[in-house]
Amino acid sequence: MKTYKNILVLVVLFSVSFSWAQQTPATVQKEAIVIEGATAHLGNGNIIENSLIMFEGGVLTFVGDAKMKIARKGKTIDGTGKHIYPGFIAPTKALGLIEINAVRASKDEDEIGEFIPHVRSLIAYNAESKVVESMRPNGVLLAQIAPQGGEISGTSSIVQLDAWNWEDAAVKVDDGIHLHWPSSYRFNRRGEDRGYKPNDTYQKTIAEITNFLQDSKAYGETVSAEENEPFKAMQGLYNGSQNLYIYADGEKEIIDAITLAKHEEIKNIVLVGGYEAYKITDFLKQNNIPVLVQATHNRPNFEDEDYDLPYKLPKLLTDAGLLVGIQNAKSENFQTRNLPFYAGQVAGQGLDKERALCLITGNTAKILGIDNSYGTLEVGKSATLFISEGDALDMRTNQLTNAFIDGREISLETHQTTLWKRYMKKYETK
């Protein structure tokens, strides 16, 4: 009887795990593909109304006007009345590291310690995550998988979202280190002192960060008998092979963090958050700092601010001449699927629609250092793109018909589309 029960449990577990498996990843592109007649949004601010897009072997071979007299070959997709976009890129997310927030065993985004740059998020990435799968129907095809927690939380990598495992998913391995800068103020929720108060530990935490950066730099300049994994992981910041992603929102915090990083001769710095970055755009331009600004679907932090500050913040920074992308690091993973609608919100604030698109395509690719292959529709780049029935930045018309990653036509079926079909049939029968 005990053996029978064990077998029954194994069968049930197998059935559950099988039913929760992700769609099978697409195979390599086997024939040339032509998409003709669609409006192509190139991701660099330009648009082709009646386009001809061709790709073979996972690479774009032609991007131009459909009136061009050029030989077509392979499978042809009629894009008349539809729109083509480069795959959207979601930076600074823990996608594939958290499955269910309420289940501790499914959370692998954080490790013990405050200074853990040697913790690599890539090797914990779950390519079969149901959350990852749900990004694709909205056009989010690439993501930067970033660890969370601590002052220096670890090393991120960039992946494509249709893979068997983390090795297959990797696009750029160990692209950067993530530094969470402390706040100079804390919010006191109790008693008569309720409100924002100075953070007494601010200078102490900065001193700890400074010592760690200096020790890391010194480690790289000497020959040590013993390897120090945290210091070793930091060396890419000093030789320019990695970015330092600094999470900071306040004017003072941004200036303090960037000033320290520059003083320690860190070459490539990216500001993440940047809520008050619009106040110091000259400082950011002078130091050549790109900004991955917070998502637009937020409320103002303070009661005396413009009610629409979060909505228009990316436009303010773009108009000031900064290189800007959009991220939603502070939101739950499932909300990453709203990435195109954040950009659409900025367009609603007056930013040109094609420039708004750059905030989640070409600009983000430049910031992450993958613009040689992704982010825009250009000959020689990866055929990572999708076709939408309408405007992909509008949640009412973002309806994908086809999507490709490196030329592979991927499935747009998810557990959510399965549920949608199931319950739509329920009402259709009445």
Side-chain angles (χ1 to χ4, degrees), residues 151 180-187 196-206 209 247-254 256 302 330:
E151 301 297 339
H180 296 262
W181 197 259
S183 174
S184 60
Y185 279 80
R186 286 181 174 174
F187 188 77
Y196 284 92
K197 304 296 179 184
N199 178 5
D200 296 335
T201 65
Y202 182 67
Q203 293 301 332
K204 178 178 179 292
T205 305
I206 291 179
I209 294 172
Y247 294 66
D249 283 312
E251 179 181 359
K252 173 178 173 55
E253 288 83 352
I254 294 170
D256 287 349
F302 303 100
K330 292 184 178 180

Short mmCIF file of all heavy atoms in Angstrom, two decimals, residues 151 180-187 196-206 209 247-254 256 302 330:
data_model
loop_
_atom_site.label_atom_id
_atom_site.label_comp_id
_atom_site.label_asym_id
_atom_site.label_seq_id
_atom_site.Cartn_x
_atom_site.Cartn_y
_atom_site.Cartn_z
N GLU A 151 23.44 46.13 -0.56
CA GLU A 151 23.96 47.38 -1.14
C GLU A 151 24.46 47.12 -2.57
O GLU A 151 24.07 47.81 -3.50
CB GLU A 151 25.09 47.94 -0.28
CG GLU A 151 24.69 48.25 1.16
CD GLU A 151 23.64 49.33 1.27
OE1 GLU A 151 23.48 50.11 0.32
OE2 GLU A 151 22.96 49.38 2.31
N HIS A 180 22.73 49.55 -4.94
CA HIS A 180 21.55 50.21 -4.40
C HIS A 180 21.99 51.26 -3.39
O HIS A 180 22.38 50.95 -2.27
CB HIS A 180 20.62 49.17 -3.76
CG HIS A 180 20.09 48.19 -4.74
ND1 HIS A 180 18.83 48.30 -5.30
CD2 HIS A 180 20.64 47.07 -5.28
CE1 HIS A 180 18.64 47.30 -6.13
NE2 HIS A 180 19.72 46.54 -6.14
N TRP A 181 21.93 52.52 -3.82
CA TRP A 181 22.42 53.63 -3.00
C TRP A 181 21.43 53.92 -1.88
O TRP A 181 20.21 53.89 -2.07
CB TRP A 181 22.60 54.87 -3.87
CG TRP A 181 23.46 55.92 -3.24
CD1 TRP A 181 23.02 57.04 -2.61
CD2 TRP A 181 24.88 55.94 -3.16
NE1 TRP A 181 24.10 57.78 -2.14
CE2 TRP A 181 25.26 57.12 -2.47
CE3 TRP A 181 25.88 55.08 -3.60
CZ2 TRP A 181 26.57 57.46 -2.22
CZ3 TRP A 181 27.20 55.41 -3.35
CH2 TRP A 181 27.54 56.58 -2.67
N PRO A 182 21.93 54.19 -0.68
CA PRO A 182 21.02 54.47 0.45
C PRO A 182 20.33 55.82 0.27
O PRO A 182 20.78 56.69 -0.48
CB PRO A 182 21.97 54.50 1.65
CG PRO A 182 23.29 54.92 1.08
CD PRO A 182 23.36 54.26 -0.27
N SER A 183 19.23 55.99 0.97
CA SER A 183 18.51 57.25 0.95
C SER A 183 18.97 58.12 2.10
O SER A 183 19.24 57.63 3.21
CB SER A 183 17.00 57.01 1.06
OG SER A 183 16.30 58.24 1.17
N SER A 184 19.06 59.42 1.86
CA SER A 184 19.48 60.34 2.92
C SER A 184 18.34 60.65 3.88
O SER A 184 18.56 61.25 4.93
CB SER A 184 20.01 61.64 2.31
OG SER A 184 19.00 62.28 1.54
N TYR A 185 17.12 60.22 3.51
CA TYR A 185 15.97 60.42 4.39
C TYR A 185 15.23 59.10 4.55
O TYR A 185 15.27 58.23 3.68
CB TYR A 185 15.02 61.46 3.81
CG TYR A 185 15.46 62.88 4.07
CD1 TYR A 185 16.44 63.47 3.27
CD2 TYR A 185 14.92 63.63 5.11
CE1 TYR A 185 16.87 64.77 3.51
CE2 TYR A 185 15.34 64.92 5.36
CZ TYR A 185 16.31 65.49 4.56
OH TYR A 185 16.73 66.76 4.80
N ARG A 186 14.55 58.97 5.67
CA ARG A 186 13.69 57.83 5.92
C ARG A 186 12.30 58.32 6.31
O ARG A 186 12.17 59.38 6.92
CB ARG A 186 14.26 56.94 7.04
CG ARG A 186 15.46 56.11 6.60
CD ARG A 186 15.96 55.24 7.73
NE ARG A 186 17.01 54.33 7.29
CZ ARG A 186 17.70 53.54 8.09
NH1 ARG A 186 17.45 53.56 9.40
NH2 ARG A 186 18.63 52.75 7.62
N PHE A 187 11.32 57.51 5.99
CA PHE A 187 9.95 57.90 6.33
C PHE A 187 9.55 57.27 7.65
O PHE A 187 9.55 56.05 7.82
CB PHE A 187 8.97 57.45 5.23
CG PHE A 187 7.58 57.99 5.43
CD1 PHE A 187 7.29 59.31 5.13
CD2 PHE A 187 6.57 57.19 5.91
CE1 PHE A 187 6.01 59.82 5.31
CE2 PHE A 187 5.29 57.68 6.10
CZ PHE A 187 5.00 59.00 5.79
N TYR A 196 9.11 62.46 6.66
CA TYR A 196 10.48 62.20 6.24
C TYR A 196 11.47 62.83 7.22
O TYR A 196 11.39 64.01 7.53
CB TYR A 196 10.71 62.72 4.83
CG TYR A 196 10.10 61.84 3.76
CD1 TYR A 196 8.82 62.08 3.29
CD2 TYR A 196 10.81 60.76 3.24
CE1 TYR A 196 8.24 61.27 2.32
CE2 TYR A 196 10.25 59.95 2.27
CZ TYR A 196 8.97 60.20 1.81
OH TYR A 196 8.41 59.39 0.87
N LYS A 197 12.41 62.02 7.70
CA LYS A 197 13.42 62.46 8.64
C LYS A 197 14.81 62.08 8.11
O LYS A 197 14.95 61.13 7.33
CB LYS A 197 13.21 61.81 10.00
CG LYS A 197 11.82 62.03 10.60
CD LYS A 197 11.56 63.50 10.88
CE LYS A 197 10.15 63.69 11.44
NZ LYS A 197 9.85 65.12 11.64
N PRO A 198 15.84 62.80 8.50
CA PRO A 198 17.20 62.45 8.05
C PRO A 198 17.56 61.03 8.45
O PRO A 198 17.22 60.55 9.54
CB PRO A 198 18.07 63.48 8.78
CG PRO A 198 17.17 64.63 9.04
CD PRO A 198 15.82 64.03 9.31
N ASN A 199 18.25 60.35 7.55
CA ASN A 199 18.73 58.99 7.81
C ASN A 199 20.08 59.08 8.52
O ASN A 199 21.09 59.46 7.92
CB ASN A 199 18.86 58.23 6.48
CG ASN A 199 19.39 56.82 6.66
OD1 ASN A 199 19.59 56.35 7.79
ND2 ASN A 199 19.62 56.15 5.55
N ASP A 200 20.11 58.72 9.78
CA ASP A 200 21.33 58.84 10.59
C ASP A 200 22.46 57.93 10.11
O ASP A 200 23.63 58.17 10.44
CB ASP A 200 21.01 58.54 12.06
CG ASP A 200 20.05 59.55 12.66
OD1 ASP A 200 20.00 60.68 12.15
OD2 ASP A 200 19.34 59.19 13.62
N THR A 201 22.14 56.90 9.37
CA THR A 201 23.17 55.95 8.94
C THR A 201 23.65 56.21 7.51
O THR A 201 24.43 55.43 6.97
CB THR A 201 22.63 54.50 9.02
OG1 THR A 201 21.54 54.35 8.09
CG2 THR A 201 22.13 54.20 10.43
N TYR A 202 23.17 57.31 6.91
CA TYR A 202 23.50 57.58 5.50
C TYR A 202 25.01 57.66 5.27
O TYR A 202 25.55 56.97 4.40
CB TYR A 202 22.82 58.88 5.05
CG TYR A 202 23.05 59.24 3.60
CD1 TYR A 202 22.54 58.47 2.58
CD2 TYR A 202 23.80 60.37 3.25
CE1 TYR A 202 22.74 58.80 1.25
CE2 TYR A 202 24.00 60.72 1.94
CZ TYR A 202 23.48 59.93 0.93
OH TYR A 202 23.70 60.25 -0.39
N GLN A 203 25.70 58.49 6.03
CA GLN A 203 27.14 58.66 5.84
C GLN A 203 27.91 57.38 6.17
O GLN A 203 28.91 57.06 5.52
CB GLN A 203 27.65 59.82 6.70
CG GLN A 203 27.13 61.18 6.27
CD GLN A 203 27.51 61.53 4.84
OE1 GLN A 203 28.54 61.08 4.31
NE2 GLN A 203 26.68 62.34 4.19
N LYS A 204 27.44 56.64 7.16
CA LYS A 204 28.09 55.38 7.53
C LYS A 204 28.01 54.37 6.38
O LYS A 204 29.00 53.70 6.05
CB LYS A 204 27.43 54.80 8.78
CG LYS A 204 27.99 53.46 9.23
CD LYS A 204 27.31 53.01 10.50
CE LYS A 204 27.84 51.64 10.96
NZ LYS A 204 27.44 50.56 10.04
N THR A 205 26.84 54.29 5.74
CA THR A 205 26.67 53.36 4.62
C THR A 205 27.52 53.78 3.43
O THR A 205 28.14 52.93 2.76
CB THR A 205 25.19 53.29 4.20
OG1 THR A 205 24.39 52.94 5.34
CG2 THR A 205 24.99 52.24 3.12
N ILE A 206 27.60 55.08 3.18
CA ILE A 206 28.45 55.57 2.09
C ILE A 206 29.91 55.21 2.35
O ILE A 206 30.65 54.82 1.42
CB ILE A 206 28.29 57.10 1.91
CG1 ILE A 206 26.90 57.43 1.37
CG2 ILE A 206 29.36 57.65 0.96
CD1 ILE A 206 26.65 58.90 1.18
N ILE A 209 30.42 51.62 1.43
CA ILE A 209 30.46 51.45 -0.03
C ILE A 209 31.80 51.93 -0.58
O ILE A 209 32.42 51.28 -1.41
CB ILE A 209 29.29 52.21 -0.70
CG1 ILE A 209 27.95 51.59 -0.29
CG2 ILE A 209 29.44 52.20 -2.21
CD1 ILE A 209 26.74 52.39 -0.74
N TYR A 247 21.20 52.57 -8.35
CA TYR A 247 19.80 52.81 -8.05
C TYR A 247 19.71 53.98 -7.07
O TYR A 247 20.09 53.88 -5.91
CB TYR A 247 19.17 51.57 -7.43
CG TYR A 247 19.08 50.37 -8.34
CD1 TYR A 247 20.24 49.73 -8.79
CD2 TYR A 247 17.85 49.88 -8.76
CE1 TYR A 247 20.17 48.64 -9.63
CE2 TYR A 247 17.77 48.77 -9.60
CZ TYR A 247 18.93 48.16 -10.03
OH TYR A 247 18.86 47.07 -10.87
N ALA A 248 19.21 55.10 -7.56
CA ALA A 248 19.08 56.30 -6.72
C ALA A 248 17.99 57.18 -7.30
O ALA A 248 17.82 57.26 -8.52
CB ALA A 248 20.41 57.07 -6.65
N ASP A 249 17.25 57.87 -6.42
CA ASP A 249 16.14 58.70 -6.87
C ASP A 249 16.29 60.17 -6.50
O ASP A 249 15.93 61.04 -7.27
CB ASP A 249 14.82 58.17 -6.27
CG ASP A 249 14.31 56.94 -6.99
OD1 ASP A 249 14.28 56.96 -8.22
OD2 ASP A 249 13.95 55.96 -6.30
N GLY A 250 16.81 60.46 -5.32
CA GLY A 250 16.91 61.84 -4.87
C GLY A 250 18.06 62.60 -5.51
O GLY A 250 19.07 62.01 -5.91
N GLU A 251 17.91 63.92 -5.60
CA GLU A 251 18.95 64.77 -6.18
C GLU A 251 20.28 64.59 -5.46
O GLU A 251 21.33 64.39 -6.10
CB GLU A 251 18.49 66.22 -6.12
CG GLU A 251 19.48 67.22 -6.66
CD GLU A 251 18.98 68.65 -6.56
OE1 GLU A 251 17.85 68.85 -6.10
OE2 GLU A 251 19.74 69.56 -6.93
N LYS A 252 20.27 64.64 -4.15
CA LYS A 252 21.50 64.49 -3.37
C LYS A 252 22.12 63.11 -3.57
O LYS A 252 23.33 62.98 -3.78
CB LYS A 252 21.22 64.72 -1.88
CG LYS A 252 22.42 64.43 -0.97
CD LYS A 252 22.10 64.72 0.48
CE LYS A 252 23.23 64.27 1.40
NZ LYS A 252 24.53 64.86 1.03
N GLU A 253 21.27 62.08 -3.50
CA GLU A 253 21.76 60.71 -3.64
C GLU A 253 22.39 60.48 -5.01
O GLU A 253 23.44 59.83 -5.13
CB GLU A 253 20.61 59.72 -3.42
CG GLU A 253 20.14 59.61 -1.98
CD GLU A 253 19.17 60.70 -1.58
OE1 GLU A 253 18.97 61.65 -2.37
OE2 GLU A 253 18.62 60.62 -0.47
N ILE A 254 21.77 61.00 -6.05
CA ILE A 254 22.30 60.82 -7.41
C ILE A 254 23.68 61.47 -7.52
O ILE A 254 24.62 60.86 -8.05
CB ILE A 254 21.32 61.43 -8.44
CG1 ILE A 254 20.01 60.65 -8.46
CG2 ILE A 254 21.96 61.42 -9.83
CD1 ILE A 254 18.91 61.31 -9.27
N ASP A 256 25.78 62.29 -5.08
CA ASP A 256 26.76 61.61 -4.22
C ASP A 256 27.25 60.32 -4.85
O ASP A 256 28.45 60.02 -4.87
CB ASP A 256 26.13 61.30 -2.86
CG ASP A 256 25.96 62.54 -1.99
OD1 ASP A 256 26.51 63.59 -2.35
OD2 ASP A 256 25.26 62.44 -0.96
N PHE A 302 5.67 63.23 -3.57
CA PHE A 302 5.39 64.28 -2.58
C PHE A 302 4.17 65.10 -3.01
O PHE A 302 3.91 65.27 -4.20
CB PHE A 302 6.61 65.21 -2.43
CG PHE A 302 7.87 64.47 -2.05
CD1 PHE A 302 8.83 64.16 -3.00
CD2 PHE A 302 8.09 64.08 -0.73
CE1 PHE A 302 9.98 63.48 -2.65
CE2 PHE A 302 9.23 63.41 -0.37
CZ PHE A 302 10.19 63.09 -1.33
N LYS A 330 10.95 48.46 -9.41
CA LYS A 330 10.24 48.44 -8.13
C LYS A 330 8.89 47.74 -8.20
O LYS A 330 8.24 47.54 -7.18
CB LYS A 330 10.07 49.87 -7.61
CG LYS A 330 11.37 50.55 -7.21
CD LYS A 330 11.11 51.92 -6.62
CE LYS A 330 12.41 52.58 -6.17
NZ LYS A 330 12.18 53.92 -5.59
#
